[in-house]
Amino acid sequence: MTVRTQDSGARTRPPAGTGAGPVRRRPLRLRDRLTKAEAKVAPYAFVSPFFIVFAIFGLFPLLYTLWVSLHDWSLLAGDQGFVGLANYRELMQDSDFWRALTNTIGIFVVATIPQLILATVLAQVLNGKLRARTFWRMGVLLPNVTSVAAVGIIFGLIFARDYGIVNWALGHVGVEPINWRGERWSSWLAISVMVDWRWTGYNALILLASLQAVPKELYEAARIDGASAWRQFWSITVPMLRPTIIFVSIVATIGGIQLFTEPLLFGSGVNAIAGGSTGQFQTVAMYLVQQAFTGQRFGYASTVAWVLFILIAVFAVINVALLRRIKSVD
């Protein structure tokens, strides 16, 4: 005997040997359908706020900047028409942009490499047996919570040519006073010191958190095998910190190539955005703002912004490729 159910119309047979009659499928109630839909939709609903916020404040500005970079766009007059890649061609022949790019990469290299090395060593020291260890760990974060404006003013006084404490100290060893703002290399060095002072402790705490997760048994086994402290640091600590070092390096790369506030405050004055009398410490971020608001060329400034974005991506990939060459402790 076969029957047709109400909901699907399919024919069903009663279970063999039971003698029971035809089984009718009960149609799903509204509550069951909502529960089933909730199980499918809920995971996407939970993660959607991030993607919505990213789309509004991250993806849209990025794409809109690309659109503006393809136009002759003035701050006051607005869109003056589509120019295609003309802004990019002009940028490739712009000597001021290349000078700003050289300054940016120079300051980035001089500041970031010592910063990461010092942060790794500092994390190793803070992970050791120290008195008032919590105090020292909190202390290294103080430069990061200090107002960047105050940092700029203080370091501007420290590196002043006529009455700065650095020139005063160098004078005791026979070095003539240095015009830190007047030359390219001296200004790079002074700004790098400022950047390192602010961010070394912050990176050290991130590395310290990762360092505390390294199994102590690895160090004990190394000591039993007669490994020196340097050997333990290079063969255990550095490989175990590799994921964290990659993260810190990428964040430092993004911050270093976008450097803006420190050089702006270092050359404080009416035309501080120019980065010195000859632009000797003007970064790409400063040049971008100068083109956008002083030159009122939003289209050209958007082109600079997109090139800056590509540079950050390239440097981040290079960092990851280099750091992946560090062998795992396994």
Side-chain angles (χ1 to χ4, degrees):
M1 179 180 179
T2 59
V3 296
R4 186 182 298 271
T5 58
Q6 291 181 352
D7 55 342
S8 62
R11 294 177 180 276
T12 58
R13 292 180 179 277
T18 60
V23 177
R24 293 179 180 273
R25 291 182 179 178
R26 189 182 63 179
L28 291 176
R29 295 179 299 178
L30 178 60
R31 182 177 180 181
D32 297 332
R33 290 177 179 175
L34 291 176
T35 302
K36 191 175 180 180
E38 181 184 1
K40 291 182 178 179
V41 175
Y44 300 100
F46 286 133
V47 300
S48 62
F50 166 77
F51 291 100
I52 293 173
V53 172
F54 173 74
I56 295 174
F57 297 102
L59 187 60
F60 172 72
L62 194 66
L63 297 177
Y64 191 71
T65 303
L66 177 62
W67 171 255
V68 175
S69 72
L70 302 175
H71 291 73
D72 181 13
W73 201 298
S74 172
L75 175 62
L76 299 178
D79 188 4
Q80 300 297 302
F82 182 78
V83 295
L85 298 177
N87 286 332
Y88 290 89
R89 286 194 293 270
E90 181 182 348
L91 188 66
M92 293 300 103
Q93 299 174 357
D94 187 348
S95 59
D96 291 338
F97 167 75
W98 290 109
R99 183 192 60 213
L101 180 61
T102 304
N103 293 337
T104 302
I105 295 176
I107 297 173
F108 164 69
V109 172
V110 174
T112 304
I113 295 177
Q115 180 188 138
L116 295 181
I117 294 174
L118 286 173
T120 307
V121 174
L122 187 58
Q124 182 76 5
V125 172
L126 292 174
N127 195 42
K129 296 180 180 178
L130 295 173
R131 287 186 177 180
R133 190 165 50 184
T134 303
F135 169 78
W136 295 114
R137 289 177 178 178
M138 294 178 63
V140 297
L141 197 60
L142 283 179
N144 190 250
V145 299
T146 306
S147 166
V148 66
V151 174
I153 293 171
I154 295 298
F155 273 85
L157 296 174
I158 289 175
F159 286 100
R161 184 187 61 181
D162 298 325
Y163 48 83
I165 191 172
V166 176
N167 279 345
W168 173 80
L170 291 176
H172 284 74
V173 293
V175 178
E176 294 294 326
I178 300 174
N179 184 6
W180 294 98
R181 292 182 177 84
E183 303 295 333
R184 171 173 278 185
W185 279 101
S186 58
S187 59
W188 288 5
L189 186 60
I191 294 170
S192 299
V193 171
M194 193 187 313
V195 173
D196 288 346
W197 186 81
R198 284 197 68 211
W199 294 103
T200 299
Y202 173 81
N203 289 328
L205 285 185
I206 295 177
L207 292 169
L208 175 62
S210 178
L211 195 59
Q212 290 181 332
V214 178
K216 303 297 182 187
E217 293 79 8
L218 293 177
Y219 293 102
E220 293 175 1
R223 280 193 292 270
I224 293 173
D225 290 341
S228 63
W230 169 252
R231 182 68 176 175
Q232 294 176 34
F233 175 76
W234 188 249
S235 299
I236 298 176
T237 303
V238 173
M240 292 297 288
L241 292 180
R242 185 177 62 174
T244 308
I245 293 176
I246 291 175
F247 168 77
V248 169
S249 300
I250 292 176
V251 173
T253 300
I254 295 172
I257 296 180
Q258 289 182 333
L259 193 64
F260 177 79
T261 308
E262 285 85 354
L264 181 70
L265 294 173
F266 184 70
S268 58
V270 177
N271 196 24
I273 197 69
S277 56
T278 59
Q280 62 269 26
F281 54 90
Q282 185 187 47
T283 62
V284 175
M286 295 169 70
Y287 185 66
L288 186 158
V289 174
Q290 186 184 38
Q291 291 299 316
F293 296 100
T294 304
Q296 300 187 8
R297 302 183 63 192
F298 264 34
Y300 194 67
S302 299
T303 306
V304 178
W306 251 91
V307 172
L308 187 63
F309 169 72
I310 294 172
L311 282 174
I312 291 172
V314 169
F315 274 93
V317 170
I318 292 173
N319 272 341
V320 172
L322 291 176
L323 291 171
R324 282 186 182 278
R325 296 178 67 85
I326 299 175
K327 294 181 179 179
S328 169
V329 72
D330 296 334

